[in-house]
Amino acid sequence: MSPLRRLAIVLALTAFGPRAGHAELLFEDRFDKELSDRWEIVGLTKEDYRLRNGGLEVRIQPQQGGDKTPMLKIMLPFTIEDTAIASVEVTVLDEFTREGEGAALCLLDETGVDFTVQKQRIEGGLFFAPGEYRFAGKDGEEGNPAKYHVHYTPATNAAGPLRIVTRGDHAYFMVGPSEEGKYQTFFHSAVNPKPKRRGFALRAGGGKPGDNHWVRYDNFRVTK
């Protein structure tokens, strides 16, 4: 791992750890009674999602080209000056069978999806994606993308909720807290530096037509 990559992770863990006493709640849906009317349903029929036993269950949608996968989305009042944190618990109810099938939490801007984190089927297993880029080169080769390999961590429920943290023109993929109270950081990326609007979405896609796979979302929460 390069020194810059290690520093970025350390800063993320330090700066974006939970600070409940200082956080402003922007939106929360526990899915315990009915779906909040603030959600916008995009491309999903009423048969594709349901509330059951205090959670939101969504049918995996077939693989589609481009950025057309149906979703539930909500736009919220935060800007690049804010540190915003979205979290949601994700449970895979039916085993994924198609490569790339996944249940995602997405960061949005006014044009669509800007950053995605998920539990995804990769080479036959269920992993957190995007994975962690680990440096495998020599000193001085940190700028060469070919000198990195991607490490994927198995996506267990015990690891905790999926989390997207945004700060400035970067977004970070974190998971936690785990059952032991730990957080993990897997990936970060530059995002739209001048968004007109921002929000988040729940998206389940990459499936095969005719499959009937469902995933469950619990305790969706956004703070800044």
Side-chain angles (χ1 to χ4, degrees), residues 7-210:
L7 177 60
I9 292 175
V10 170
L11 289 175
L13 290 171
T14 302
F16 307 142
R19 294 180 297 168
H22 303 279
E24 175 186 346
L25 180 65
L26 293 181
F27 178 76
E28 183 174 36
D29 198 340
R30 295 184 177 275
F31 310 121
D32 52 0
K33 294 182 180 179
E34 59 185 23
L35 194 66
S36 170
D37 59 9
R38 293 179 64 185
W39 288 106
E40 180 181 350
I41 311 299
V42 181
L44 293 168
T45 69
K46 291 184 178 180
E47 290 72 35
D48 289 327
Y49 63 95
R50 62 201 181 199
L51 293 181
R52 179 180 292 186
N53 299 325
L56 169 67
E57 296 180 359
V58 181
R59 191 197 314 270
I60 293 283
Q61 299 298 294
Q63 179 69 41
Q64 300 188 35
D67 188 22
K68 299 179 181 179
T69 301
M71 66 180 72
L72 294 87
K73 74 174 188 177
I74 183 167
M75 307 307 287
L76 294 166
F78 67 98
T79 69
I80 63 169
E81 285 77 25
D82 298 313
T83 296
I85 303 174
S87 66
V88 66
E89 299 167 26
V90 178
T91 304
V92 176
L93 300 179
D94 301 295
E95 182 180 359
F96 294 162
T97 57
R98 182 187 178 112
E99 185 75 4
E101 196 171 352
L105 169 65
C106 306
L107 172 68
L108 307 175
D109 64 13
E110 69 280 359
T111 67
V113 174
D114 199 12
F115 185 79
T116 299
V117 306
Q118 59 187 323
K119 289 184 176 181
Q120 185 177 37
R121 181 182 172 93
I122 300 171
E123 296 183 352
L126 185 66
F127 296 95
F128 293 117
E132 179 185 354
Y133 281 73
R134 294 183 174 179
F135 182 59
K138 301 177 181 178
D139 289 345
E141 295 180 329
E142 289 82 2
N144 184 350
K147 299 299 180 178
Y148 291 80
H149 71 272
V150 183
H151 172 77
Y152 291 102
T153 299
T156 64
N157 291 336
L162 300 184
R163 299 165 70 89
I164 291 178
V165 182
T166 68
R167 187 177 189 181
D169 60 355
H170 276 74
Y172 297 78
F173 175 25
M174 299 179 69
V175 172
S178 68
E179 292 179 351
E180 294 78 28
K182 297 180 180 179
Y183 291 79
Q184 300 177 78
T185 303
F186 296 119
F187 182 80
H188 72 280
S189 175
V191 292
N192 183 356
K194 297 181 179 180
K196 296 179 181 178
R197 300 179 69 203
R198 272 191 164 174
F200 294 96
L202 305 177
R203 185 175 71 172
K208 183 172 63 177

